[in-house]
Amino acid sequence: MTAPHEAIPVLRVEDGPASAAWYRRLGFQEDWRHQHEPGFPWFISISTPQGATLFLSEHAGDCAPGGSVFLVTHDITAAEAALNMRAELMPWGDRELSLLDPDGNRVRVSQPAESVP
C-alpha cells in the first residue's frame, strides 16, 4: 500500500452552509457541497488557497459532535483580527488561539515559533 498523501478532518455540524460561512473568517472558501436529495443532510468541502481542507458533515454517522481541528498559519495576526481575539504566547514559543465554532467543535489556530516575529 502507498502511504496516504493527505488527511482531511471531518467535523460534525448542524447547518453545513452556515458553518461554511463561519469558516470564511479563517480564510476558508466552499469548494463543493453534496446532498443526496432535497431535505437530506449536507456534506460540504471547504479549503484555503494554501491547501488546508475540512469536510463539514450534517450526517449523524460520519463523526461525533464536539470534534477538534488544529490549524497552522504563518500570520496569526490576521486570524486575531478576523476573530477579534488575542493569541497567547505558548511556553514552547508558538502563538495560539482557541475557540469553538457554532457547533461546539474546538478550533485551534497556531503560528509556529520559527515564524513568530
Side-chain angles (χ1 to χ4, degrees):
M1 176 180 138
T2 303
H5 67 275
E6 184 177 16
I8 302 174
V10 180
L11 297 175
R12 176 76 166 88
V13 298
E14 289 296 318
D15 183 336
S19 292
W22 186 87
Y23 277 92
R24 276 196 286 264
R25 297 186 305 163
L26 291 170
F28 285 87
Q29 58 196 21
E30 187 174 319
D31 302 316
W32 50 262
R33 63 173 76 177
H34 176 73
Q35 186 180 47
H36 287 288
E37 294 181 27
F40 276 41
W42 284 108
F43 191 92
I44 299 174
S45 175
I46 60 174
S47 67
T48 67
Q50 294 76 17
T53 300
L54 296 174
F55 287 161
L56 307 175
S57 179
E58 293 180 1
H59 296 267
D62 281 350
C63 52
S68 180
V69 64
F70 188 88
L71 304 172
V72 179
T73 183
H74 294 294
D75 187 3
I76 196 77
T77 304
E80 289 175 316
L83 299 168
N84 196 28
M85 296 178 70
R86 296 292 304 156
E88 181 180 343
L89 181 62
M90 306 309 284
W92 50 90
D94 294 2
R95 290 187 60 218
E96 293 186 8
L97 54 87
S98 181
L99 70 156
L100 296 177
D101 75 6
D103 297 287
N105 296 299
R106 169 106 15 232
V107 179
R108 290 175 55 200
V109 183
S110 177
Q111 180 172 345
E114 61 269 10
S115 63
V116 172

